Amino acid sequence: QLQLVESGGGLVQPGGSLRLSCAVSGFTSDYYRIGWFRQAPGKEREGVSCIRTSIGNTYYADSVKGRFTFSRDNTKNTVYLQMNSLKPEDTAVYYCAAGPSSNSCWWLDFHTWGQGTQVTVSS
């Protein structure tokens, strides 16, 4: 079965950087979509960045554009979220997820989820 495992979360000061990793295994097709999502206390799950693996085009939420970068290492079946210039409002549980190939970054369009990793931005 398709599985995703996140890692790399932790505590970081405002203005700092953090890189999240997501190891993907068990997918039988090269055509799918991988997304990074986050959910802060009291807020709905938000699509942060999503990529269409067939062509590699990437979506970023306006709130993270210019600060976060979605990248892939296909030889390791791993995707990354590089987070720079972190703000307290970036504090959330971050998830990676997989779904059918599309242009969506809406959480209901993704069917397989990792366990989540906590990111806390605080002084």
Side-chain angles (χ1 to χ4, degrees):
Q1 292 184 359
L2 178 65
Q3 290 185 304
L4 301 94
V5 180
E6 304 102 330
S7 62
L11 176 65
V12 64
Q13 294 184 348
S17 298
L18 205 61
R19 189 179 76 162
L20 306 182
S21 300
C22 177
V24 182
S25 63
F27 205 85
T28 59
S29 175
D30 293 330
Y31 304 95
Y32 56 96
R33 190 161 178 84
I34 300 292
W36 284 101
F37 297 81
R38 66 185 182 187
Q39 190 160 24
K43 296 185 177 180
E44 294 184 0
R45 190 165 297 184
E46 175 189 15
V48 175
S49 181
C50 296
I51 191 167
R52 189 172 180 176
T53 60
S54 61
I55 59 176
N57 61 319
T58 307
Y59 160 87
Y60 295 97
D62 288 341
S63 58
V64 307
K65 197 171 299 181
R67 299 189 297 121
F68 290 11
T69 303
F70 193 150
S71 63
R72 297 182 294 170
D73 186 339
N74 291 332
T75 63
K76 298 180 179 179
N77 292 324
T78 301
V79 302
Y80 306 93
L81 185 67
Q82 178 67 46
M83 305 184 294
N84 298 327
S85 301
L86 283 163
K87 306 174 181 179
E89 49 263 46
D90 294 319
T91 296
V93 177
Y94 283 72
Y95 302 88
C96 60
S101 183
S102 74
N103 292 320
S104 173
C105 205
W106 170 240
W107 71 273
L108 285 174
D109 290 330
F110 293 75
H111 52 67
T112 306
W113 292 79
Q115 80 286 352
T117 185
Q118 177 71 47
V119 173
T120 302
V121 184
S122 176
S123 299

